[in-house]
Amino acid sequence: MMGLEKNRSIVPQKFGKLITVLSIDGGGIRGLIPGVILAFLESELQKLDGEDARLADYFDVIAGTSTGGLVTAMLTAPNEKNRPLFAARDIKKFYLDHSPKIFPQNKHKLFGRVVRAMKALIGPLYDGKYLHRLVKANLGDTKLNETLTNVVIPTFDIKNLQPTIFSSFQVKQNPSLNAMLSDVCIATSAAPTYLPAHYFQTKDAQGTVMREFNLIDGGVAANNPALVAIGEVTREIIESSPDFVPIRPLEYDRFLVISLGTGYNKTRKYGADEAAKWGVLGWLTSNGSTPLVDIFNQAGADMVSLHLAIVFKALSSQKTYLRIQDDTLHGEISSVDVASRENLNDLIEIGENLLRKPVSRDNLDTGVYQPCSHETNAEALQGFAKLLSQEKRFRESNSKMPNGNIADN
């Protein structure tokens, strides 16, 4: 596809040392938590490289699922000046302004719960119309191949019963995936029971339909998309992409990965004696929650986090992998859609507190997210900002050398 790289703001990795990946989990309104963390990271980059610095200038790929996919689009879609549509600091205001309209709340809690239960039995809780208008108004006609850096956004095709990954890398070989970024965002956010599934088509220049999509939330396939993003880059390297320097097998120290969770509730637990009595309704509606959805979403995300933590540790590359997550959410704060002003402000506070907490990892034996470093998440991000800034300057310097020679690589 001609002109695919016309909007890219990052110098290709072939001029550098590291492969830089940013990953953002799904989680509805809880996207405010990574929003706070991203604003902090971008502010640290601005201290090093100036106020115009944006995250899309530093990452070879930004991946996001569901609400993370929406944030990914905000950070990478170009504005009229060919710069990111949103700065990271704008994410918080975006969620505060629009979440209550995407997920309108019933003022009467008891009556609202009854209405909610009835609606959930016959259709999605929300019609999605406001979200659709909002996304289309902001992203306009921007297509997947026009983002300022590579993006990877998972969805799930319910007609073909398989994941559909919208990837800047795959678009080069498969033009039928070059969808409108707005359609991709709507699809990856279409959480079952909350928002309606999304249908759309991609067409060629003559208007002929290339492909039809019947999609729901990417969290069904990969709520934590970090491993998907690494897989997409690895495929590029295997296929000898001119944008990447070849790496040796298991050379994970070439990857710099920041993976951001949206928080989850591990205080809500289910006993085997209790679950043994559940039928379909029990698995879907017990204890004021949806156990089956909780289990599937968290199991997938935790397995990705666990795999990456073990691999990076085994290959002595822990210093280039950072996972930030909070497993202490409970009650309404752990919901994906309780968009009251109080709840949204609480999520912002959780993000701010998370920056002050020590770097942590999942303990598979205990199921507890526990500290693994004396360093706080904020301090770790400051260190990563320095690495990202150094990498950016190194690439820019090498890209200007005569004949494209690469020094010290």
Side-chain angles (χ1 to χ4, degrees), residues 111-132:
F111 180 69
R113 289 193 187 107
V114 175
V115 172
R116 180 185 177 91
M118 293 177 65
K119 285 183 69 175
L121 289 174
I122 60 174
L125 289 169
Y126 309 99
D127 61 24
K129 291 180 181 179
Y130 183 84
L131 174 63
H132 294 195

Side-chain angles (χ1 to χ4, degrees), residues 85-395:
L85 193 61
F86 288 81
R89 64 176 177 270
D90 300 326
I91 295 171
K92 180 170 73 174
K93 185 177 186 303
F94 182 90
Y95 275 78
L96 289 174
D97 289 346
H98 299 293
S99 295
K101 299 173 184 176
I102 297 170
F103 303 114
Q105 305 296 294
N106 194 303
K107 294 181 180 179
H108 305 286
K109 284 197 172 182
L110 182 59
F111 180 69
R113 289 193 187 107
V114 175
V115 172
R116 180 185 177 91
M118 293 177 65
K119 285 183 69 175
L121 289 174
I122 60 174
L125 289 169
Y126 309 99
D127 61 24
K129 291 180 181 179
Y130 183 84
L131 174 63
H132 294 195
R133 290 196 302 269
L134 176 67
V135 170
K136 290 178 180 178
N138 277 278
L139 297 178
D141 295 332
T142 303
K143 289 195 170 184
L144 188 65
N145 72 327
E146 296 175 320
T147 54
L148 294 170
T149 190
N150 299 298
V151 300
V152 173
I153 302 177
T155 66
F156 191 84
D157 193 310
I158 55 175
K159 189 170 185 178
N160 295 320
L161 291 181
Q162 65 181 25
T164 298
I165 309 299
F166 288 94
S167 162
S168 301
F169 303 115
Q170 292 192 35
V171 161
K172 290 180 285 187
Q173 286 79 39
N174 187 354
S176 70
L177 286 171
N178 195 27
M180 303 283 274
L181 203 53
S182 58
D183 280 322
V184 176
C185 286
I186 291 168
T188 195
S189 303
T193 76
Y194 290 96
L195 290 163
H198 188 49
Y199 171 84
F200 64 93
Q201 303 171 333
T202 50
K203 299 179 180 179
D204 62 20
Q206 289 71 45
T208 303
V209 174
M210 292 188 290
R211 185 165 172 178
E212 295 182 336
F213 298 90
N214 298 268
L215 304 176
I216 61 171
D217 189 345
V220 173
N223 202 52
N224 176 349
L227 202 55
V228 179
I230 292 174
E232 288 294 298
V233 172
T234 302
R235 190 206 318 248
E236 284 292 287
I237 295 170
I238 291 172
E239 294 178 355
S240 302
S241 167
D243 288 337
F244 291 90
V245 173
I247 62 175
R248 296 185 299 274
L250 301 181
E251 198 175 8
Y252 268 60
D253 60 338
R254 296 294 291 269
F255 281 93
L256 182 154
V257 179
I258 298 177
S259 175
L260 304 181
T262 58
Y264 57 93
N265 184 354
K266 277 208 172 177
T267 64
R268 183 169 60 213
K269 301 179 185 294
Y270 311 100
D273 289 344
E274 176 189 13
K277 303 170 186 176
W278 290 345
V280 173
L281 287 179
W283 280 103
L284 294 177
T285 60
S286 289
N287 298 331
S289 65
T290 51
L292 197 60
V293 175
D294 290 345
I295 291 165
F296 273 111
N297 280 347
Q298 203 49 55
D302 279 355
M303 287 303 291
V304 171
S305 178
L306 178 69
H307 170 83
L308 289 177
I310 290 174
V311 169
F312 274 87
K313 183 176 181 179
L315 299 173
S316 300
S317 304
Q318 305 100 302
K319 292 182 180 179
T320 56
Y321 172 67
L322 178 63
R323 172 70 172 169
I324 301 180
Q325 177 65 298
D326 191 320
D327 68 347
T328 63
L329 305 190
H330 57 87
E332 289 188 345
I333 200 71
S334 66
S335 74
V336 300
D337 66 325
V338 179
S340 65
R341 179 62 59 168
E342 179 184 6
N343 206 37
L344 296 174
N345 286 331
D346 285 345
L347 287 167
I348 293 170
E349 186 177 351
I350 286 170
E352 293 169 347
N353 289 337
L354 195 51
L355 288 169
R356 294 188 283 269
K357 290 183 177 181
V359 174
S360 301
R361 293 282 186 273
D362 267 312
N363 184 319
L364 193 61
D365 294 326
T366 63
V368 175
Y369 209 65
Q370 62 186 37
C372 63
S373 169
H374 297 297
E375 195 174 39
T376 66
N377 287 315
E379 290 168 339
L381 286 168
Q382 288 169 337
F384 272 68
K386 290 177 183 177
L387 289 174
L388 289 165
S389 177
Q390 291 167 5
E391 174 71 10
K392 181 174 182 287
R393 294 181 187 189
F394 184 77
R395 293 187 190 188

